[in-house]
Structures are given as structure tokens and as C-alpha cells.
Amino acid sequence: GIQVEQSPPDLILQEGANSTLRCNFSDSVNNLQWFHQNPWGQLINLFYIPSGTKQNGRLSATTVATERYSLLYISSSQTTDSGVYFCAPGGTGTASKLTFGTGTRLQVTL
Amino acid sequence: EAEVAQSPRYKITEKSQAVAFWCDPISGHATLYWYRQILGQGPELLVQFQDESVVDDSQLPKDRFSAERLKGVDSTLKIQPAELGDSAMYLCASSRADGYYGYTFGSGTRLTVV
């Protein structure tokens, strides 16, 4: 199966700082999502981004499928950004299951 | 915005008892997934359905776990008997049959086995 490596594993930021989270994956994929897991455990879909770049407010993501990596940018971080960020690449059709990395745990402090 | 419904949100059960979780996917989503997430780890796939058929259950501990999606809509995941090591978050997700536009996850069921 696909191997997923996320870095850094832990990150502490002061409010207002910017950060970049990285996801490397081992195989070609047709699907990739970034999720934020909140303190109650729910996985919130941030981006569906099998390739290219997308932006949503203070967040943006870029996937370079040919080089097997994806990046998540957080700008002007807020305390509500705290939680665990997961990258999950996958296939399509009957092989559409997502494989999750171990996540990046982000803590934003005042 | 359409949601994936799961119940219960929390469940405490004694070792060796039976427990069941329910999931109702987004209307029109043919593919349904059950994931298990152990504390501190990423979610791992237990079973994937395409309509009412199982597509992938290679990581489902079939001696104690069972899953069904009889009419291709909602789904039930059962554990019998529960063991201490089953304590985890059980997450349900759904997607279009082709997987495009990604998954939507439900709120999950946090299971504690005592």
C-alpha cells in the first residue's frame, strides 16, 4: 500500500505566525485530501487536491503529484488552528480508499 | 451542507459484550468506509463498501468484527465480543463512487471497553 510520511510531527507556533506542513507519499495517486482533526475527534476536510494549488482563506495547499508530495500552508495562525493535520492520498474508483499519515500536531499559543 | 450521520457519539462497554455502531452516508454517495483510529495514530481502513458490496475488508478482524450495508444506504459495524484493545474512535466516511471530490467524515463514535 501507499506509504505516507508527514513532517514535522509536532509544531508549536505563536499566534500570527506562518507554517508549512509537508506530506510525502510513495506511489502515484489520483486523490489527496488534507484534514484537520478537531479536539472532539471530527475530521474536517480542508482540501481535495490531487494536483495543483488551492486556497481557502488563510489556508492553501499544493500537490506536485509527479514528485509525490503535498504542502499545506497556514498563514497568520490562530489558536483555533490547533489540532492534528492529516494528509491522506488515495486512488479512484474501487481503489479510492485514503491512506492516512501519522499527522502533524499543531499548537498555536497566544 | 450534507453530512454523514453516526451514532452513538460515545459508547462505554464491558469486555466480552457486543457493541454496534451506525452510519448514514450522504445521499447519493455509493461508497462508504469504516475507519478505526487509535489514540495518537492516523485512521486505518476497516472496510469499504461500494453500494451493498464489500470492496475491501482486508484489515477487518473478522473473528469479532462484522459490517453490513444491506440496502446500499446506511451501514452497521458490530464488534462481538469487545476486547480492551478495541477502545478507539470509529469513523465513517462516504464518497462518490469514483472517489472524486473526496471523502466526508462523520463525527465518529468513541468506544471505551472496560
Side-chain angles (χ1 to χ4, degrees):
Chain A
I2 299 172
Q3 304 299 310
V4 184
E5 185 178 306
Q6 290 187 243
S7 60
D10 296 281
L11 186 59
I12 300 175
L13 296 175
Q14 200 160 25
E15 195 173 44
N18 303 327
S19 63
T20 301
L21 281 57
R22 185 177 179 100
C23 172
N24 294 329
F25 45 94
S26 61
D27 293 314
S28 299
V29 297
N30 301 107
N31 181 8
L32 189 141
Q33 288 183 253
W34 281 95
F35 295 92
H36 175 219
Q37 190 162 42
N38 65 24
W40 298 271
Q42 180 155 17
L43 284 163
I44 308 298
N45 180 32
L46 297 176
F47 292 101
Y48 169 79
I49 186 162
S51 63
T53 297
K54 290 186 178 179
Q55 181 155 8
N56 184 3
R58 297 181 296 103
L59 303 181
S60 64
T62 295
T63 297
V64 184
T66 53
E67 297 187 22
R68 300 181 182 173
Y69 73 89
S70 184
L71 302 173
L72 178 70
Y73 306 95
I74 304 174
S75 64
S76 304
S77 57
Q78 300 176 358
T79 56
T80 53
D81 295 332
S82 296
V84 183
Y85 290 81
F86 287 103
C87 163
T92 55
T94 55
S96 59
K97 71 175 185 180
L98 296 180
T99 299
F100 284 77
T102 52
T104 291
R105 184 173 300 274
L106 173 65
Q107 183 180 353
V108 181
T109 62
L110 292 171
Chain B
E1 186 175 329
E3 295 183 345
V4 175
Q6 283 191 252
S7 66
R9 286 297 309 277
Y10 304 94
K11 180 70 177 180
I12 300 174
T13 191
E14 293 185 347
K15 187 175 62 171
S16 79
Q17 295 299 303
V19 63
F21 314 126
W22 177 81
C23 173
D24 191 14
I26 290 174
S27 178
H29 277 189
T31 310
L32 184 147
Y33 313 82
W34 284 101
Y35 278 78
R36 177 171 64 182
Q37 185 178 22
I38 295 169
L39 192 63
Q41 300 180 17
E44 292 184 314
L45 181 70
L46 290 175
V47 62
Q48 176 183 349
F49 289 93
Q50 186 84 0
D51 299 311
E52 67 275 8
S53 300
V54 173
V55 171
D56 185 346
D57 63 356
S58 57
Q59 299 304 310
L60 187 71
K62 299 181 188 63
D63 56 335
R64 298 185 300 106
F65 285 64
S66 64
E68 60 183 16
R69 193 184 183 198
L70 293 177
K71 297 183 179 179
V73 181
D74 58 339
S75 175
T76 302
L77 178 69
K78 297 178 181 177
I79 308 174
Q80 182 173 16
E83 296 181 353
L84 296 177
D86 297 331
S87 294
M89 175 75 88
Y90 290 83
L91 294 156
C92 178
S94 68
S95 73
R96 286 172 30 155
D98 55 13
Y100 288 114
Y101 304 116
Y103 286 25
T104 300
F105 277 87
S107 300
T109 296
R110 190 175 297 279
L111 173 67
T112 302
V113 182
V114 297

